[in-house]
Amino acid sequence: MTTTETTPGTRSTRPQISPPSLLRASTTIVWRNLVHIRRMPEMLLDVTVQSVMFVLLFAYVFGGAITAPGADYKEFLLPGIMVQTMVFSSAIVAMGLTSDLQKGFVDRFKSLPVPRSAVLVGRSISSLIHSSIGVAVMAVTGLLIGWRVRNGVVDGVLAFALLLLFGFALIWLGIWVGSLMRTVEAVQGFMFTVMFPLTFVANTFVPTESMPAWLRTISEWNPVSAITQACRELWGNGPAAGADAAWPLQHPVLVSIGWSLLLTAVFAPLAVSAFRRRSRD
Amino acid sequence: MSASSAVEAIDLVKHFGDNRAVDGVSFVVPTGSVLGLLGPNGAGKTTLVRMLTTLSVPTSGTGRVAGFDIREQPNDVRRSMGLTGQAATVDELLTGRENIRLIGGLYGLSRSYVREASEHLLDRFDLTAAADRMAKTYSGGMRRRLDLAVSLLATPPILFLDEPTTGLDPQSRSGLWEVLRELVGEGTTLVLTTQYLEEADHLADEIVVVDKGRVIAAGTPTQLKDRAGQASVVVTLTSAADLDQAAELMRSHSSEVHVERGSRRLTAQAGGLGDMTRIAAVFERSGIELDDLGLARPSLDDVFLHLTGHRADPSSASDQTTEGVAQ
């Protein structure tokens, strides 16, 4: 074989293939997913226009009919809607993963000398970025209609960190569902069927006090309620839970962390094994 | 194993539940040669390639790629080969150039190498003008070429191509064949699956015929054709009136003569070129006018029919009514 040839991409100049680190592989995938968003900005509609519409709908259409004891309804509403956005991020992960599996991108990826977990890590990071854009859009909308972070920077940042942690936990649910289902349409149908009750049977949009006792109990034990309550307290958007509220709402910050860890502990192994099984055949 | 084999399948088996997709397949591909895996849809070709490229774990058996065991050393295998899938797996929302960059990042190649190599590859595959357009605007042929360019980024010594030309128009197909022959010229080992007999005939040094998850025949294209039966001399007369006389003449040289009146054609079994020249001489003397006279070897399609009782090429499925004539 000739050795004088030095054109890259020809046999004689086989490059050094050093297996990429998980970091390089994951950032490459994140880059690719972000290019997707740039090329199809309508992918962001779910966390931007849709969320703003939700904010405006609840703040001005339903809000007048809902009283949140000890709080301005608009302030009461914002943390709830942000949590809802984070919950929806698991649907975003699931749909993205299923589409990659369906279109053969995961196959292409698996034929390369890359740590296979990079697909999942890259997917998780880009969907957290995706939802964070949504949270940012809502924070700006909130600021415009009177929502404020009132308890200082530390508590303010802590609340955002809790949101991200919860989003991270739910991403595993998304990966699990995404690995089990065959089409994006199926994922969409399934995820929204799960997410609507999860985000509405909670304190996200209305105080739980007005619910029938059994429903109130379910709502207050719903992880979504704990995160929402934690954000409200940390941002100073509402009073602490009443003495008759369920135990999780009495300790919302700790319970939020606990729920996030528990959900991760349950769904991460399920997700990884479902993804592995899906990628064996 | 010998150092000169690039790919080996060793009793590979893959079951999906009750479906024995691949049921004990072995073959060896010498370095620098082209193996064609030929078989109809659902024969198990894709599953074979998926196992050899570590995408799918065998139920039993194993394989070697560049000397690395596909079960024990999957990462070494992945470093040694490129794969171009059945449905081209280019990312539609990325441009051609970005697709190459994506795979470069996943291979862990240096950015400067990827930049240089992508210019070269885009140029080679005639994609430079479209390099900054999203791949979803590409034609089928362009997608395949991009997919191939991406597979070649790390210049793998072994390339797997799963039905590389399925769905391409004839012009794109022959363009791709051209590129594949160039790669072979540079020393790349190719393993390609196809359901087109013509393609296997054209490109492959060795053909492994697969049906229902098993190897039913293997050999060079010529060997396989020889197995399907003898060559035959085909004579087309100018006038139908001479048919009976011509058939009589040919019977004196061949035990079996087939007459097709509509097309004024006579087919006689022949051992080879010698028989053909003898028959030509007979007609020369007889004064019967001929439109055409030639030696016909069985096509790979005949081979497949002979081996399996059904045709491989989906486009010739409608020919099944003519089986009686072909035999």
Side-chain angles (χ1 to χ4, degrees), chain A residues 43-232:
Chain A
M43 283 167 78
L44 282 177
L45 283 180
D46 55 349
V47 295
T48 53
V49 176
Q50 230 175 66
S51 306
V52 171
M53 269 168 44
F54 256 88
V55 171
L56 298 178
L57 186 69
F58 274 90
Y60 295 105
V61 180
F62 299 135
I66 304 170
T67 40
D72 172 66
Y73 183 70
K74 287 179 200 124
E75 296 236 343
F76 176 89
L77 172 69
L78 253 287
I81 277 204
M82 289 191 195
V83 174
Q84 189 194 37
T85 302
M86 275 334 250
V87 173
F88 277 41
S89 69
S90 61
I92 300 167
V93 182
M95 290 189 288
L97 185 63
T98 308
S99 142
D100 281 353
L101 283 163
Q102 234 183 324
K103 288 189 180 148
F105 177 72
V106 172
D107 271 352
R108 161 69 90 186
F109 182 88
K110 276 162 53 195
S111 73
L112 303 172
V114 193
R116 293 193 178 186
S117 50
V119 177
L120 301 185
V121 176
R123 212 4 104 195
S124 316
I125 295 174
S126 39
S127 67
L128 274 182
I129 293 175
H130 190 151
S131 338
S132 303
I133 295 173
V135 169
V137 167
M138 263 172 296
V140 172
T141 317
L143 289 172
L144 290 176
I145 63 168
W147 168 78
R148 294 289 179 273
V149 173
R150 300 185 188 279
N151 285 355
V153 177
V154 176
D155 280 5
V157 170
L158 178 59
F160 281 112
L162 281 181
L163 269 180
L164 281 180
L165 180 68
F166 187 58
F168 178 78
L170 289 175
I171 277 171
W172 295 106
L173 169 70
I175 290 174
W176 185 47
V177 174
S179 304
L180 289 178
M181 300 216 159
R182 301 278 148 178
T183 65
V184 174
E185 291 73 19
V187 171
Q188 202 167 8
F190 177 83
M191 288 307 264
F192 285 97
T193 315
V194 172
M195 294 210 154
F196 270 97
L198 191 67
T199 53
F200 278 87
V201 183
N203 62 358
T204 28
F205 301 103
V206 291
T208 48
E209 284 88 343
S210 58
M211 297 179 185
W214 61 273
L215 191 62
R216 181 179 176 186
T217 309
I218 295 175
S219 299
E220 292 184 345
W221 280 88
N222 182 345
V224 168
S225 293
I227 319 289
T228 308
Q229 182 64 27
C231 290
R232 272 179 198 144

Side-chain angles (χ1 to χ4, degrees), chain B residues 39-41 166-168 173 194-199 301 311-320 322:
Chain B
N41 258 332
T166 299
L168 292 190
R173 182 184 296 185
T194 182
Q195 34 183 326
Y196 300 115
L197 304 143
E198 191 196 353
E199 184 160 278
D301 203 13
R311 291 192 184 269
D313 195 330
S315 65
S316 60
S318 57
D319 293 353
Q320 274 178 0
T322 62

